[in-house]
């Protein structure tokens, strides 16, 4: 549940203001949790985009939003990965 929460916090920030917005607004702990969350759900490319953006924050590089969108082109990508993880490891999540 924590991995999903952290991922969704970052994803919401990206969708609201872009990758650089998420990097600038998330606390260090939130950012680290988000990167771990993306990796937990096998969204390695999105985690890498966030990490690269954090390293290059002072450059204000464009293109991170495009790279992120190539990995997560719609919210259903996250939903599908969650459903796969839930089916494979139902005990990893709190019961409804």
């Amino acid at each position: 549940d924590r991995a999903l929460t952290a991922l969704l916090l970052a994803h919401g920030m990206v969708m609201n203001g872009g990758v650089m917005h998420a990097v600038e607004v998330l606390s260090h702990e939130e950012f680290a949790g988000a990167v771990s969350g993306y990796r937990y759900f096998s969204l390695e490319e999105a985690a890498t985009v966030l990490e690269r953006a954090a390293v290059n924050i002072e450059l204000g590089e464009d293109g991170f939003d495009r790279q992120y969108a190539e990995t997560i082109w719609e919210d259903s990508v996250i939903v599908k990965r969650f459903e796969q993880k839930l089916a494979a490891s139902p005990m990893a999540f709190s019961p409804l």
Side-chain angles (χ1 to χ4, degrees):
D1 291 349
R2 288 187 295 252
L4 182 60
T5 300
L7 179 159
L8 290 176
L9 175 64
H11 179 68
M13 296 264 182
V14 170
M15 293 294 97
N16 185 39
V19 171
M20 297 307 287
H21 172 69
V23 169
E24 293 169 350
V25 172
L26 293 172
S27 70
H28 178 72
E29 293 78 21
E30 291 169 333
F31 182 82
V35 169
S36 293
Y38 281 102
R39 290 203 167 105
Y40 181 77
F41 288 100
S42 301
L43 294 165
E44 180 69 34
E45 296 87 1
T48 300
V49 170
L50 289 175
E51 288 176 324
R52 288 183 55 235
V55 170
N56 295 307
I57 193 166
E58 68 280 351
L59 300 178
E61 287 187 17
D62 295 328
F64 292 122
D65 293 339
R66 179 186 48 75
Q67 293 171 8
Y68 185 89
E70 288 173 359
T71 301
I72 302 178
W73 53 90
E74 57 185 29
D75 293 341
S76 66
V77 172
I78 295 171
V79 172
K80 181 179 177 185
R81 295 294 172 96
F82 167 71
E83 289 171 343
Q84 290 170 338
K85 185 64 88 170
L86 179 62
S89 305
M91 298 305 290
F93 300 92
S94 297
L96 296 175

